[in-house]
Amino acid sequence: MTVTVERVKLVDVGPRDGLQNEKQPVDAAHKIELVHRLQAAGLREIEVTSYVSPKWVPQMADNAQVMAGIRREAGVRYSVLTPNLKGLEAALAAPREQWPDEIVVFGAASEAFSQRNINCSIEESIERFRPVVAAAQAQGIKVRCAISCALGCPYQGEVTPDEVERVVRLMKGIRVDHCGVADTIGVGTPRRVQAAMERALEHYPLAEVSGHFHDTYGQALANIYACLELGVSTFDASIAGLGGCPYAKGATGNVATEDVVYLLDGLGIDTGIDMARLVDAGAYISEVLGRAPASRAARALLAKR
Ligand code: HMG
Ligand code: MG
């Protein structure tokens, strides 16, 4: 298959997926600065934080402070995770100019993961999301979903394309605008990823399907290439390869944004992202965390400076 995609939209999920998983506390000021550096590098979609229970994920307890602190740039879309109405209401309790442009409801293709991550069954999660989707859309806020464990589950093991499609249908049924297919534990390989993606593409148009790949087994770039072959052109990625899910033990970070941009630049696919500034953003947050960026491309480029 040849790749005909000419432009890719990258959503940097580092401030959320990345920093939700850090053991050490990260100040809101550093999170805000990271968002600023990502937008300065050309990112036009940034997943900033999540409105989840602080008992479950204390790292995101400063959500309102971070949303209030970011300096917004025209043309940048800022998204947040909202697992229930309480989360949406908290996000919308702020002045309107601090509202997210997009929210993410997150479900799973595996019952076991749904229970561990959001404390309810898949069916129950959809019933929780239904009023969230309607209330957000009534305010002109776009709704994306993440379908976790689409390629495998740390508790259930194998997950089939049929199981993925079941949840895609349910998300479509409650009018979620965009379908994100997530390999939470990074076990997918290209042909299996295509099989899962194809199920999403049976219900959503190409522009409304995206991939979210953790890189635990080093397959994320190959999986993105496999998605490009299908024409998918939106991907989540995380600056410096930060990330993981507190409820998916052993899962490493997301594919690093720098590595994806290096791949896409090499393929002649436009991302609108300035690699040097992106590497700076990754170096910044890595220094805050006291370690080198997990991105191979960033490390190679930093070594040449
Ligand atoms: P629950 O305990 O079933 O909820 O948790 P509840 O409705 O029974 O409420 C229990 C307590 O939580 C109450 O407080 C509520 O007020 C509070 P208490 O009376 O005990 O003091 N609460 C909230 N507080 C703040 N914000 C809220 C909220 N909702 C309830 N929105 C719940 C259910 C969904 C809240 C919980 O399970 C939770 O917060 N889970 C979040 C887990 C999480 O954030 N995981 C990581 C993000 S998902 C991810 O990383 C995957 C992704 O990257 C894709 C991939 O890689 O797969 C997206
Ligand atoms: Mg994730």
Side-chain angles (χ1 to χ4, degrees), residues 16-17 20 51 53 55 84 117 119 148 184 212 214:
R16 194 282 303 171
D17 199 327
Q20 77 180 7
Y51 286 82
S53 162
K55 286 185 190 141
N84 53 18
N117 196 41
N119 205 24
S148 290
T184 314
H212 174 109
H214 286 262

Side-chain angles (χ1 to χ4, degrees), residues 12 15 33-43 46 239 278 281:
D12 201 296
E33 178 64 19
L34 176 60
V35 170
H36 292 166
R37 288 180 185 236
L38 290 171
Q39 61 195 18
L43 263 305
I46 303 174
I239 187 70
L278 187 67

